[in-house]
Amino acid sequence: MLQPKPLFNPQADTSYGKRRLIGGETSNLMMLSNNKYGWSYPLYKTMMQNFWIPEEISLGQDKMQYETLETAERETFDKVISFLVFLDSLQTVNLPNINDYVTLPEVNLLLNIQTYQEALHSQSYGYVLESIVGPEQQQRIYDIAVKDPFLLKRNRYIADCYQEFIDRQSEVGFVKVMMANYILEGIYFYAGFSFFYNLARFGKMTGVGTEIKYINRDELTHLALFQNMFRELRKEQPELFTPALEAELREMMKVALDYESEWAAYAIGDRIQGLNIALIEQYLRYISNYRLEAIGLTPLYPEVDQDPLPFIRQFTNFNQTKTDFFEEKVINYAKAGSDLDLDGLDELDL
Ligand SMILES: [Fe+2]
Ligand SMILES: [Fe+2]
């Protein structure tokens, strides 16, 4: 069993050797000038400097364009945004459940910032919806996540992966809930992102595309956080990563890809200019290889070594976030001359 950490433990031995991601000793004092994990402070700075405000992106033109989208595009838009609302909502609510078991203050801090960013993402979808449709339509779109039988089944599966750790906590369970989180962040979001980037490259709903781009920039830091957590846990508790558990983690990825392909067939299909099911399926397999390798697991589809949707890279080149995405107003709150370094994120090649 894995125990949640006590709220305050003045007797804790917080020498470096005793500090661990889970099951370590912590007084719960935020000793943030003395972090064990060297990567945590640069990541903290990047996450803080990524601060953005959804309302600063104008959606006036998107409102008009939404009405003129092809019917299939509009239907897909509604389904995809409802799914993204679900994913970010679940993240906001569930990350504290993971954080309760993390015994390193610097990671507690980062998970809290991530939680706030997930809430911001939900708010950005609210802003998108209130900008383009009336209240009744907004409710109809939110309801897709819980009423559309296909999406409901899918969302139940994702929530159940998290619920399992809420119901039964163990060290192996912690690794699995980290994996579930990593898949949500690194795979599930991406079919949705690809839909919006695809619309944007045809000049459609570019304000929403910009919102998605800022969300995507945050998500990259969340992936970096979980990749680093995996690496540290492997170093601290290598005995946890048995061949059986690793096989299970790869299987989780495989099931996720199958679900995602089914979803893409249902929500996106072959009705959208510039996208088709085969391309999306290949794209998700392609990025899953990177995701698995980044946490020390063997890729599932090594034969898929070409990016089938290279246009997405134009939207995710985050070293260019200091200039405009789609000639929108520049949003960058980092101080001039800051030493913010996004190179590390691009190296992740996500
Ligand atoms: Fe998010
Ligand atoms: Fe996230």
PDB file of all heavy atoms in Angstrom, residues 206-235:
ATOM      1  N   THR A 206      -8.936  30.567 -37.039  1.00  0.00           N
ATOM      2  CA  THR A 206      -7.532  30.725 -36.651  1.00  0.00           C
ATOM      3  C   THR A 206      -7.376  31.271 -35.220  1.00  0.00           C
ATOM      4  O   THR A 206      -6.356  31.023 -34.574  1.00  0.00           O
ATOM      5  CB  THR A 206      -6.788  31.655 -37.635  1.00  0.00           C
ATOM      6  OG1 THR A 206      -7.488  32.890 -37.708  1.00  0.00           O
ATOM      7  CG2 THR A 206      -6.675  31.034 -39.006  1.00  0.00           C
ATOM      8  N   GLY A 207      -8.387  32.000 -34.749  1.00  0.00           N
ATOM      9  CA  GLY A 207      -8.327  32.441 -33.346  1.00  0.00           C
ATOM     10  C   GLY A 207      -8.361  31.236 -32.417  1.00  0.00           C
ATOM     11  O   GLY A 207      -7.578  31.133 -31.469  1.00  0.00           O
ATOM     12  N   VAL A 208      -9.276  30.307 -32.717  1.00  0.00           N
ATOM     13  CA  VAL A 208      -9.328  29.077 -31.908  1.00  0.00           C
ATOM     14  C   VAL A 208      -8.006  28.316 -32.052  1.00  0.00           C
ATOM     15  O   VAL A 208      -7.469  27.785 -31.072  1.00  0.00           O
ATOM     16  CB  VAL A 208     -10.526  28.186 -32.320  1.00  0.00           C
ATOM     17  CG1 VAL A 208     -10.534  26.892 -31.516  1.00  0.00           C
ATOM     18  CG2 VAL A 208     -11.841  28.930 -32.116  1.00  0.00           C
ATOM     19  N   GLY A 209      -7.469  28.302 -33.254  1.00  0.00           N
ATOM     20  CA  GLY A 209      -6.169  27.657 -33.478  1.00  0.00           C
ATOM     21  C   GLY A 209      -5.088  28.251 -32.589  1.00  0.00           C
ATOM     22  O   GLY A 209      -4.230  27.537 -32.062  1.00  0.00           O
ATOM     23  N   THR A 210      -5.152  29.568 -32.389  1.00  0.00           N
ATOM     24  CA  THR A 210      -4.168  30.223 -31.518  1.00  0.00           C
ATOM     25  C   THR A 210      -4.371  29.809 -30.063  1.00  0.00           C
ATOM     26  O   THR A 210      -3.417  29.540 -29.334  1.00  0.00           O
ATOM     27  CB  THR A 210      -4.271  31.760 -31.662  1.00  0.00           C
ATOM     28  OG1 THR A 210      -4.092  32.096 -33.038  1.00  0.00           O
ATOM     29  CG2 THR A 210      -3.211  32.464 -30.844  1.00  0.00           C
ATOM     30  N   GLU A 211      -5.642  29.745 -29.651  1.00  0.00           N
ATOM     31  CA  GLU A 211      -5.924  29.258 -28.284  1.00  0.00           C
ATOM     32  C   GLU A 211      -5.311  27.869 -28.098  1.00  0.00           C
ATOM     33  O   GLU A 211      -4.656  27.578 -27.096  1.00  0.00           O
ATOM     34  CB  GLU A 211      -7.449  29.151 -28.037  1.00  0.00           C
ATOM     35  CG  GLU A 211      -8.240  30.425 -28.197  1.00  0.00           C
ATOM     36  CD  GLU A 211      -8.284  31.294 -26.944  1.00  0.00           C
ATOM     37  OE1 GLU A 211      -7.828  30.852 -25.872  1.00  0.00           O
ATOM     38  OE2 GLU A 211      -8.756  32.445 -27.070  1.00  0.00           O
ATOM     39  N   ILE A 212      -5.545  27.017 -29.097  1.00  0.00           N
ATOM     40  CA  ILE A 212      -5.041  25.640 -29.017  1.00  0.00           C
ATOM     41  C   ILE A 212      -3.516  25.634 -28.958  1.00  0.00           C
ATOM     42  O   ILE A 212      -2.903  24.839 -28.244  1.00  0.00           O
ATOM     43  CB  ILE A 212      -5.538  24.813 -30.228  1.00  0.00           C
ATOM     44  CG1 ILE A 212      -7.071  24.665 -30.185  1.00  0.00           C
ATOM     45  CG2 ILE A 212      -4.854  23.455 -30.300  1.00  0.00           C
ATOM     46  CD1 ILE A 212      -7.610  23.828 -29.050  1.00  0.00           C
ATOM     47  N   LYS A 213      -2.930  26.548 -29.683  1.00  0.00           N
ATOM     48  CA  LYS A 213      -1.469  26.586 -29.688  1.00  0.00           C
ATOM     49  C   LYS A 213      -0.918  26.931 -28.297  1.00  0.00           C
ATOM     50  O   LYS A 213       0.069  26.350 -27.848  1.00  0.00           O
ATOM     51  CB  LYS A 213      -0.986  27.590 -30.736  1.00  0.00           C
ATOM     52  CG  LYS A 213       0.500  27.516 -30.921  1.00  0.00           C
ATOM     53  CD  LYS A 213       0.951  28.144 -32.202  1.00  0.00           C
ATOM     54  CE  LYS A 213       2.474  28.105 -32.210  1.00  0.00           C
ATOM     55  NZ  LYS A 213       3.053  28.420 -33.468  1.00  0.00           N
ATOM     56  N   TYR A 214      -1.555  27.870 -27.622  1.00  0.00           N
ATOM     57  CA  TYR A 214      -1.114  28.186 -26.254  1.00  0.00           C
ATOM     58  C   TYR A 214      -1.357  27.010 -25.306  1.00  0.00           C
ATOM     59  O   TYR A 214      -0.540  26.729 -24.421  1.00  0.00           O
ATOM     60  CB  TYR A 214      -1.837  29.427 -25.730  1.00  0.00           C
ATOM     61  CG  TYR A 214      -1.255  30.714 -26.266  1.00  0.00           C
ATOM     62  CD1 TYR A 214      -1.942  31.498 -27.181  1.00  0.00           C
ATOM     63  CD2 TYR A 214       0.010  31.136 -25.858  1.00  0.00           C
ATOM     64  CE1 TYR A 214      -1.404  32.675 -27.671  1.00  0.00           C
ATOM     65  CE2 TYR A 214       0.561  32.311 -26.345  1.00  0.00           C
ATOM     66  CZ  TYR A 214      -0.160  33.077 -27.262  1.00  0.00           C
ATOM     67  OH  TYR A 214       0.384  34.236 -27.752  1.00  0.00           O
ATOM     68  N   ILE A 215      -2.492  26.346 -25.500  1.00  0.00           N
ATOM     69  CA  ILE A 215      -2.769  25.165 -24.661  1.00  0.00           C
ATOM     70  C   ILE A 215      -1.686  24.113 -24.912  1.00  0.00           C
ATOM     71  O   ILE A 215      -1.109  23.544 -23.984  1.00  0.00           O
ATOM     72  CB  ILE A 215      -4.176  24.600 -24.975  1.00  0.00           C
ATOM     73  CG1 ILE A 215      -5.252  25.587 -24.505  1.00  0.00           C
ATOM     74  CG2 ILE A 215      -4.372  23.226 -24.338  1.00  0.00           C
ATOM     75  CD1 ILE A 215      -6.664  25.251 -24.954  1.00  0.00           C
ATOM     76  N   ASN A 216      -1.399  23.897 -26.180  1.00  0.00           N
ATOM     77  CA  ASN A 216      -0.390  22.914 -26.576  1.00  0.00           C
ATOM     78  C   ASN A 216       0.975  23.257 -25.959  1.00  0.00           C
ATOM     79  O   ASN A 216       1.703  22.374 -25.495  1.00  0.00           O
ATOM     80  CB  ASN A 216      -0.314  22.906 -28.106  1.00  0.00           C
ATOM     81  CG  ASN A 216       0.353  21.678 -28.683  1.00  0.00           C
ATOM     82  OD1 ASN A 216       0.231  21.413 -29.867  1.00  0.00           O
ATOM     83  ND2 ASN A 216       1.083  20.922 -27.883  1.00  0.00           N
ATOM     84  N   ARG A 217       1.304  24.541 -25.922  1.00  0.00           N
ATOM     85  CA  ARG A 217       2.590  24.944 -25.336  1.00  0.00           C
ATOM     86  C   ARG A 217       2.646  24.552 -23.853  1.00  0.00           C
ATOM     87  O   ARG A 217       3.652  24.050 -23.363  1.00  0.00           O
ATOM     88  CB  ARG A 217       2.776  26.465 -25.494  1.00  0.00           C
ATOM     89  CG  ARG A 217       4.129  26.955 -25.027  1.00  0.00           C
ATOM     90  CD  ARG A 217       4.321  28.432 -25.274  1.00  0.00           C
ATOM     91  NE  ARG A 217       3.452  29.257 -24.441  1.00  0.00           N
ATOM     92  CZ  ARG A 217       3.558  30.578 -24.323  1.00  0.00           C
ATOM     93  NH1 ARG A 217       4.500  31.222 -25.003  1.00  0.00           N
ATOM     94  NH2 ARG A 217       2.736  31.262 -23.568  1.00  0.00           N
ATOM     95  N   ASP A 218       1.524  24.760 -23.143  1.00  0.00           N
ATOM     96  CA  ASP A 218       1.472  24.313 -21.740  1.00  0.00           C
ATOM     97  C   ASP A 218       1.599  22.800 -21.658  1.00  0.00           C
ATOM     98  O   ASP A 218       2.291  22.266 -20.791  1.00  0.00           O
ATOM     99  CB  ASP A 218       0.133  24.731 -21.093  1.00  0.00           C
ATOM    100  CG  ASP A 218       0.006  26.239 -20.899  1.00  0.00           C
ATOM    101  OD1 ASP A 218       1.039  26.931 -20.919  1.00  0.00           O
ATOM    102  OD2 ASP A 218      -1.138  26.708 -20.718  1.00  0.00           O
ATOM    103  N   GLU A 219       0.873  22.122 -22.549  1.00  0.00           N
ATOM    104  CA  GLU A 219       0.860  20.643 -22.471  1.00  0.00           C
ATOM    105  C   GLU A 219       2.255  20.067 -22.643  1.00  0.00           C
ATOM    106  O   GLU A 219       2.584  19.024 -22.078  1.00  0.00           O
ATOM    107  CB  GLU A 219      -0.089  20.038 -23.513  1.00  0.00           C
ATOM    108  CG  GLU A 219      -1.563  20.409 -23.368  1.00  0.00           C
ATOM    109  CD  GLU A 219      -2.169  20.083 -22.018  1.00  0.00           C
ATOM    110  OE1 GLU A 219      -1.550  19.352 -21.230  1.00  0.00           O
ATOM    111  OE2 GLU A 219      -3.259  20.607 -21.728  1.00  0.00           O
ATOM    112  N   LEU A 220       3.089  20.718 -23.432  1.00  0.00           N
ATOM    113  CA  LEU A 220       4.456  20.224 -23.602  1.00  0.00           C
ATOM    114  C   LEU A 220       5.214  20.231 -22.277  1.00  0.00           C
ATOM    115  O   LEU A 220       5.989  19.319 -21.992  1.00  0.00           O
ATOM    116  CB  LEU A 220       5.219  21.081 -24.621  1.00  0.00           C
ATOM    117  CG  LEU A 220       4.844  20.878 -26.078  1.00  0.00           C
ATOM    118  CD1 LEU A 220       5.704  21.776 -26.956  1.00  0.00           C
ATOM    119  CD2 LEU A 220       5.047  19.430 -26.487  1.00  0.00           C
ATOM    120  N   THR A 221       4.959  21.254 -21.456  1.00  0.00           N
ATOM    121  CA  THR A 221       5.651  21.280 -20.156  1.00  0.00           C
ATOM    122  C   THR A 221       5.096  20.177 -19.242  1.00  0.00           C
ATOM    123  O   THR A 221       5.825  19.635 -18.421  1.00  0.00           O
ATOM    124  CB  THR A 221       5.535  22.660 -19.465  1.00  0.00           C
ATOM    125  OG1 THR A 221       4.167  22.965 -19.197  1.00  0.00           O
ATOM    126  CG2 THR A 221       6.163  23.761 -20.312  1.00  0.00           C
ATOM    127  N   HIS A 222       3.813  19.853 -19.417  1.00  0.00           N
ATOM    128  CA  HIS A 222       3.238  18.769 -18.598  1.00  0.00           C
ATOM    129  C   HIS A 222       3.854  17.427 -18.996  1.00  0.00           C
ATOM    130  O   HIS A 222       4.122  16.586 -18.141  1.00  0.00           O
ATOM    131  CB  HIS A 222       1.717  18.725 -18.753  1.00  0.00           C
ATOM    132  CG  HIS A 222       1.048  20.036 -18.481  1.00  0.00           C
ATOM    133  ND1 HIS A 222      -0.277  20.273 -18.778  1.00  0.00           N
ATOM    134  CD2 HIS A 222       1.530  21.189 -17.944  1.00  0.00           C
ATOM    135  CE1 HIS A 222      -0.569  21.528 -18.432  1.00  0.00           C
ATOM    136  NE2 HIS A 222       0.507  22.092 -17.929  1.00  0.00           N
ATOM    137  N   LEU A 223       4.049  17.259 -20.287  1.00  0.00           N
ATOM    138  CA  LEU A 223       4.717  16.032 -20.742  1.00  0.00           C
ATOM    139  C   LEU A 223       6.132  15.967 -20.184  1.00  0.00           C
ATOM    140  O   LEU A 223       6.589  14.917 -19.721  1.00  0.00           O
ATOM    141  CB  LEU A 223       4.781  15.990 -22.274  1.00  0.00           C
ATOM    142  CG  LEU A 223       3.519  15.553 -22.991  1.00  0.00           C
ATOM    143  CD1 LEU A 223       3.717  15.656 -24.496  1.00  0.00           C
ATOM    144  CD2 LEU A 223       3.153  14.115 -22.622  1.00  0.00           C
ATOM    145  N   ALA A 224       6.836  17.113 -20.232  1.00  0.00           N
ATOM    146  CA  ALA A 224       8.214  17.148 -19.717  1.00  0.00           C
ATOM    147  C   ALA A 224       8.226  16.792 -18.228  1.00  0.00           C
ATOM    148  O   ALA A 224       9.095  16.048 -17.760  1.00  0.00           O
ATOM    149  CB  ALA A 224       8.825  18.532 -19.938  1.00  0.00           C
ATOM    150  N   LEU A 225       7.226  17.296 -17.490  1.00  0.00           N
ATOM    151  CA  LEU A 225       7.150  16.993 -16.059  1.00  0.00           C
ATOM    152  C   LEU A 225       7.005  15.485 -15.831  1.00  0.00           C
ATOM    153  O   LEU A 225       7.745  14.889 -15.045  1.00  0.00           O
ATOM    154  CB  LEU A 225       5.965  17.757 -15.440  1.00  0.00           C
ATOM    155  CG  LEU A 225       5.577  17.410 -14.005  1.00  0.00           C
ATOM    156  CD1 LEU A 225       6.751  17.593 -13.051  1.00  0.00           C
ATOM    157  CD2 LEU A 225       4.391  18.264 -13.536  1.00  0.00           C
ATOM    158  N   PHE A 226       6.064  14.868 -16.524  1.00  0.00           N
ATOM    159  CA  PHE A 226       5.841  13.432 -16.294  1.00  0.00           C
ATOM    160  C   PHE A 226       6.991  12.579 -16.822  1.00  0.00           C
ATOM    161  O   PHE A 226       7.326  11.553 -16.247  1.00  0.00           O
ATOM    162  CB  PHE A 226       4.469  13.000 -16.838  1.00  0.00           C
ATOM    163  CG  PHE A 226       3.396  13.227 -15.816  1.00  0.00           C
ATOM    164  CD1 PHE A 226       2.884  14.507 -15.603  1.00  0.00           C
ATOM    165  CD2 PHE A 226       2.951  12.190 -15.007  1.00  0.00           C
ATOM    166  CE1 PHE A 226       1.935  14.737 -14.617  1.00  0.00           C
ATOM    167  CE2 PHE A 226       1.996  12.408 -14.019  1.00  0.00           C
ATOM    168  CZ  PHE A 226       1.487  13.684 -13.818  1.00  0.00           C
ATOM    169  N   GLN A 227       7.610  13.003 -17.919  1.00  0.00           N
ATOM    170  CA  GLN A 227       8.787  12.260 -18.394  1.00  0.00           C
ATOM    171  C   GLN A 227       9.887  12.275 -17.338  1.00  0.00           C
ATOM    172  O   GLN A 227      10.513  11.254 -17.053  1.00  0.00           O
ATOM    173  CB  GLN A 227       9.297  12.866 -19.705  1.00  0.00           C
ATOM    174  CG  GLN A 227       8.412  12.507 -20.881  1.00  0.00           C
ATOM    175  CD  GLN A 227       8.732  13.323 -22.122  1.00  0.00           C
ATOM    176  OE1 GLN A 227       9.530  14.249 -22.092  1.00  0.00           O
ATOM    177  NE2 GLN A 227       8.091  12.986 -23.227  1.00  0.00           N
ATOM    178  N   ASN A 228      10.097  13.434 -16.734  1.00  0.00           N
ATOM    179  CA  ASN A 228      11.118  13.527 -15.688  1.00  0.00           C
ATOM    180  C   ASN A 228      10.725  12.735 -14.449  1.00  0.00           C
ATOM    181  O   ASN A 228      11.575  12.113 -13.813  1.00  0.00           O
ATOM    182  CB  ASN A 228      11.382  14.993 -15.336  1.00  0.00           C
ATOM    183  CG  ASN A 228      12.319  15.647 -16.333  1.00  0.00           C
ATOM    184  OD1 ASN A 228      13.458  15.203 -16.517  1.00  0.00           O
ATOM    185  ND2 ASN A 228      11.855  16.665 -17.024  1.00  0.00           N
ATOM    186  N   MET A 229       9.450  12.744 -14.114  1.00  0.00           N
ATOM    187  CA  MET A 229       9.011  11.941 -12.960  1.00  0.00           C
ATOM    188  C   MET A 229       9.274  10.463 -13.217  1.00  0.00           C
ATOM    189  O   MET A 229       9.732   9.731 -12.334  1.00  0.00           O
ATOM    190  CB  MET A 229       7.512  12.194 -12.692  1.00  0.00           C
ATOM    191  CG  MET A 229       7.232  13.550 -12.047  1.00  0.00           C
ATOM    192  SD  MET A 229       5.481  14.046 -12.140  1.00  0.00           S
ATOM    193  CE  MET A 229       4.671  12.825 -11.106  1.00  0.00           C
ATOM    194  N   PHE A 230       8.978  10.009 -14.438  1.00  0.00           N
ATOM    195  CA  PHE A 230       9.261   8.601 -14.789  1.00  0.00           C
ATOM    196  C   PHE A 230      10.751   8.298 -14.625  1.00  0.00           C
ATOM    197  O   PHE A 230      11.129   7.278 -14.045  1.00  0.00           O
ATOM    198  CB  PHE A 230       8.860   8.315 -16.240  1.00  0.00           C
ATOM    199  CG  PHE A 230       7.473   7.747 -16.384  1.00  0.00           C
ATOM    200  CD1 PHE A 230       6.450   8.514 -16.934  1.00  0.00           C
ATOM    201  CD2 PHE A 230       7.190   6.441 -16.016  1.00  0.00           C
ATOM    202  CE1 PHE A 230       5.169   8.008 -17.080  1.00  0.00           C
ATOM    203  CE2 PHE A 230       5.912   5.917 -16.159  1.00  0.00           C
ATOM    204  CZ  PHE A 230       4.898   6.707 -16.694  1.00  0.00           C
ATOM    205  N   ARG A 231      11.586   9.193 -15.145  1.00  0.00           N
ATOM    206  CA  ARG A 231      13.040   8.941 -15.092  1.00  0.00           C
ATOM    207  C   ARG A 231      13.538   8.873 -13.650  1.00  0.00           C
ATOM    208  O   ARG A 231      14.341   8.013 -13.302  1.00  0.00           O
ATOM    209  CB  ARG A 231      13.792  10.049 -15.845  1.00  0.00           C
ATOM    210  CG  ARG A 231      13.646   9.910 -17.344  1.00  0.00           C
ATOM    211  CD  ARG A 231      14.524  10.930 -18.083  1.00  0.00           C
ATOM    212  NE  ARG A 231      14.016  11.061 -19.438  1.00  0.00           N
ATOM    213  CZ  ARG A 231      13.617  12.203 -19.993  1.00  0.00           C
ATOM    214  NH1 ARG A 231      13.708  13.335 -19.325  1.00  0.00           N
ATOM    215  NH2 ARG A 231      13.159  12.210 -21.223  1.00  0.00           N
ATOM    216  N   GLU A 232      13.057   9.796 -12.815  1.00  0.00           N
ATOM    217  CA  GLU A 232      13.504   9.809 -11.423  1.00  0.00           C
ATOM    218  C   GLU A 232      13.027   8.558 -10.683  1.00  0.00           C
ATOM    219  O   GLU A 232      13.774   7.963  -9.915  1.00  0.00           O
ATOM    220  CB  GLU A 232      12.983  11.068 -10.698  1.00  0.00           C
ATOM    221  CG  GLU A 232      13.468  12.382 -11.278  1.00  0.00           C
ATOM    222  CD  GLU A 232      14.968  12.636 -11.112  1.00  0.00           C
ATOM    223  OE1 GLU A 232      15.659  11.851 -10.419  1.00  0.00           O
ATOM    224  OE2 GLU A 232      15.457  13.624 -11.694  1.00  0.00           O
ATOM    225  N   LEU A 233      11.788   8.177 -10.929  1.00  0.00           N
ATOM    226  CA  LEU A 233      11.247   6.997 -10.250  1.00  0.00           C
ATOM    227  C   LEU A 233      12.025   5.737 -10.645  1.00  0.00           C
ATOM    228  O   LEU A 233      12.306   4.872  -9.828  1.00  0.00           O
ATOM    229  CB  LEU A 233       9.758   6.845 -10.571  1.00  0.00           C
ATOM    230  CG  LEU A 233       8.972   5.860  -9.707  1.00  0.00           C
ATOM    231  CD1 LEU A 233       9.085   6.208  -8.221  1.00  0.00           C
ATOM    232  CD2 LEU A 233       7.502   5.834 -10.115  1.00  0.00           C
ATOM    233  N   ARG A 234      12.378   5.662 -11.913  1.00  0.00           N
ATOM    234  CA  ARG A 234      13.194   4.546 -12.388  1.00  0.00           C
ATOM    235  C   ARG A 234      14.545   4.479 -11.669  1.00  0.00           C
ATOM    236  O   ARG A 234      15.044   3.402 -11.365  1.00  0.00           O
ATOM    237  CB  ARG A 234      13.469   4.729 -13.884  1.00  0.00           C
ATOM    238  CG  ARG A 234      12.917   3.669 -14.750  1.00  0.00           C
ATOM    239  CD  ARG A 234      13.293   3.977 -16.185  1.00  0.00           C
ATOM    240  NE  ARG A 234      12.224   3.580 -17.062  1.00  0.00           N
ATOM    241  CZ  ARG A 234      11.984   2.329 -17.412  1.00  0.00           C
ATOM    242  NH1 ARG A 234      12.750   1.360 -16.962  1.00  0.00           N
ATOM    243  NH2 ARG A 234      10.976   2.049 -18.215  1.00  0.00           N
ATOM    244  N   LYS A 235      15.133   5.667 -11.440  1.00  0.00           N
ATOM    245  CA  LYS A 235      16.429   5.706 -10.747  1.00  0.00           C
ATOM    246  C   LYS A 235      16.246   5.318  -9.280  1.00  0.00           C
ATOM    247  O   LYS A 235      17.052   4.585  -8.722  1.00  0.00           O
ATOM    248  CB  LYS A 235      17.008   7.135 -10.814  1.00  0.00           C
ATOM    249  CG  LYS A 235      17.851   7.393 -12.051  1.00  0.00           C
ATOM    250  CD  LYS A 235      18.605   8.714 -11.884  1.00  0.00           C
ATOM    251  CE  LYS A 235      17.985   9.803 -12.737  1.00  0.00           C
ATOM    252  NZ  LYS A 235      18.351  11.158 -12.405  1.00  0.00           N
TER     253      LYS A 235
END
